[in-house]
Amino acid sequence: CMNDDYRKAYEREKQLRKQAEQLLEDRSRELYRSNEQLKEVNEALHEQQRAMVQSEKMASLGVLAAGVAHEINNPLGFIYSNFSSLVEGLQDIQRFLNQADQLIAGGQSVEQIQAAWSEGLMIHDIAYLLSDYQNLAIETIEGLERVKQIVSDLKSFTRQDDSEKAPVDVNECLRAALNILNNQTKYHSRVEVEYGELPEISGYFGKLNQVFINLIANADQAVEENGLIRIETRLNGRWLEVSISDNGCGISEEHQKYLFTPFFTTKPVGQGTGLGLSISHNAVEEHGGDIQVESELGKGTTFTVRIPVQPAQKSA
């Protein structure tokens, strides 16, 4: 009888253990499925975030397009004018050389050829043309370099950064942002820039470039006509800092709490997506840094981007 009780107890324990193992296996499968679903959702969210960042870039680019077109048209205008002058001058030089060639072919005396040569140099003002060509060539090259730089800066702004970080010169990144915004700021505000000596950091050029464009554009919108925007880069201990200050309208304490909240904006409908500062904040956080804000209504605002200094990884 005792043996029967032990056997029954053993059978019950065996059955319970089997049920527990089955339950554990079922739960493990459910957890695995849930984990896989979470991975898919997380990847989808990351993809949406990347798409949102790129959409904001394109929206910003649309706003900048007219100004950038003007910036390109300026050098193209004087390049066209320079080439028109070059063509006219070359025609004069061609006529002078043809006349000299006819004199030589006609068997004129050396004295006659020399006299005609001197007269032709004076009539066609050849010395001036050759001197002017040098200046025109230098101006044309400078204009083409300007166009090339604008196109390069736009490509840096619109590109999607690779998954791996690369060495970034923050001063160059800031200069590219100012170059893109030049036409927007030069007719409305005074921009003063002081570049400090900075080490390269390991990061994403395109993302930081967008941060600076967002902050400078906001500063330009905040100031009155001929307002002041002051930009400074510096090394502060282990932090690389970029301060963008304006003497504009300032931000209320109430609004400062929501500055980096997605879709929050104080701009009129149609003039802002409310994503610029949120995307900027995320991009700086991705570099291990932060954005600090100091503002007073009616006096102005200072945004300071702080990024920890890390040695840039250089390829062997």
Side-chain angles (χ1 to χ4, degrees):
C1 184
M2 203 66 166
N3 287 337
D4 288 343
D5 290 339
Y6 281 133
R7 189 170 57 255
K8 289 177 182 177
Y10 171 75
E11 291 295 335
R12 279 198 305 271
E13 183 184 351
K14 184 178 177 182
Q15 187 64 29
L16 289 171
R17 188 166 60 247
K18 187 176 180 181
Q19 290 174 353
E21 288 173 354
Q22 185 63 47
L23 185 62
L24 181 61
E25 186 177 343
D26 292 343
R27 288 287 184 270
S28 297
R29 285 177 180 170
E30 287 177 18
L31 284 171
Y32 177 78
R33 283 195 296 269
S34 298
N35 187 50
E36 290 300 307
Q37 289 171 350
L38 281 173
K39 282 182 181 178
E40 291 176 9
V41 171
N42 189 46
E43 182 56 36
L45 284 172
H46 279 299
E47 192 59 40
Q48 288 174 5
Q49 185 185 35
R50 285 192 289 269
M52 185 178 71
V53 169
Q54 196 64 12
S55 295
E56 173 66 11
K57 279 187 179 183
M58 293 302 104
S60 300
L61 189 60
V63 174
L64 298 172
V68 169
H70 183 78
E71 283 297 288
I72 291 177
N73 279 334
N74 274 345
L76 286 182
F78 69 73
I79 289 169
Y80 179 83
S81 174
N82 286 353
F83 269 101
S84 297
S85 299
L86 284 169
V87 169
E88 291 175 10
L90 283 171
Q91 290 172 346
D92 285 340
I93 292 173
Q94 186 65 52
R95 279 192 287 269
F96 167 69
L97 292 175
N98 286 341
Q99 290 167 3
D101 190 52
Q102 288 170 6
L103 285 170
I104 294 169
Q108 303 291 329
S109 68
V110 173
E111 289 77 11
Q112 289 174 317
I113 293 173
Q114 286 177 336
W117 180 271
S118 298
E119 184 182 1
L121 285 174
M122 185 177 63
I123 291 173
H124 296 293
D125 208 358
I126 301 300
Y128 169 77
L129 286 177
L130 293 176
S131 171
D132 192 41
Y133 279 5
Q134 217 169 10
N135 294 329
L136 291 178
I138 291 170
E139 283 183 4
T140 300
I141 290 170
E142 287 176 351
L144 291 170
E145 286 292 339
R146 172 75 178 141
V147 173
K148 180 182 174 184
Q149 189 62 60
I150 291 171
V151 172
S152 174
D153 292 339
L154 283 173
K155 284 173 69 178
S156 295
F157 175 67
T158 56
R159 78 185 182 199
Q160 294 197 46
D161 287 295
D162 297 329
S163 57
E164 291 186 6
K165 292 182 178 179
V168 175
D169 181 341
V170 171
N171 282 339
E172 175 62 19
C173 191
L174 179 62
R175 185 212 56 74
L178 285 164
N179 195 30
I180 290 174
L181 289 170
N182 183 53
N183 191 69
Q184 185 173 319
T185 57
K186 71 180 178 182
Y187 297 115
H188 182 243
S189 55
R190 292 174 293 122
V191 180
E192 296 179 357
V193 188
E194 185 177 338
Y195 294 106
E197 287 191 20
L198 305 177
E200 284 188 333
I201 63 166
S202 181
Y204 302 104
F205 186 98
K207 290 179 181 178
L208 290 177
N209 183 248
Q210 185 179 9
V211 170
F212 299 141
I213 285 177
N214 288 341
L215 294 178
I216 296 167
N218 284 350
D220 186 59
Q221 291 169 358
V223 299
E224 298 291 336
E225 195 71 27
N226 204 35
L228 177 64
I229 300 173
R230 175 154 180 77
I231 302 170
E232 181 185 356
T233 68
R234 57 186 172 269
L235 191 60
N236 185 5
R238 62 179 289 267
W239 295 95
L240 184 154
E241 296 180 345
V242 180
S243 292
I244 299 171
S245 304
D246 66 69
N247 61 352
C249 56
I251 306 166
S252 69
E253 286 187 26
E254 178 189 356
H255 287 157
Q256 285 183 42
K257 295 182 292 186
Y258 304 106
L259 278 180
F260 302 112
T261 303
F263 304 109
F264 173 79
T265 180
T266 58
K267 297 173 187 175
V269 174
Q271 292 188 22
T273 61
L275 289 173
L277 285 177
S278 172
I279 287 173
S280 297
H281 186 264
N282 290 342
V284 174
E285 277 196 335
E286 197 171 348
H287 289 77
D290 57 35
I291 303 179
Q292 298 179 345
V293 186
E294 293 179 15
S295 186
E296 189 174 344
L297 276 176
K299 292 194 175 180
T301 303
T302 297
F303 282 89
T304 302
V305 176
R306 300 169 70 246
I307 301 172
V309 176
Q310 298 172 347
Q313 298 296 320
K314 301 199 181 227
S315 55

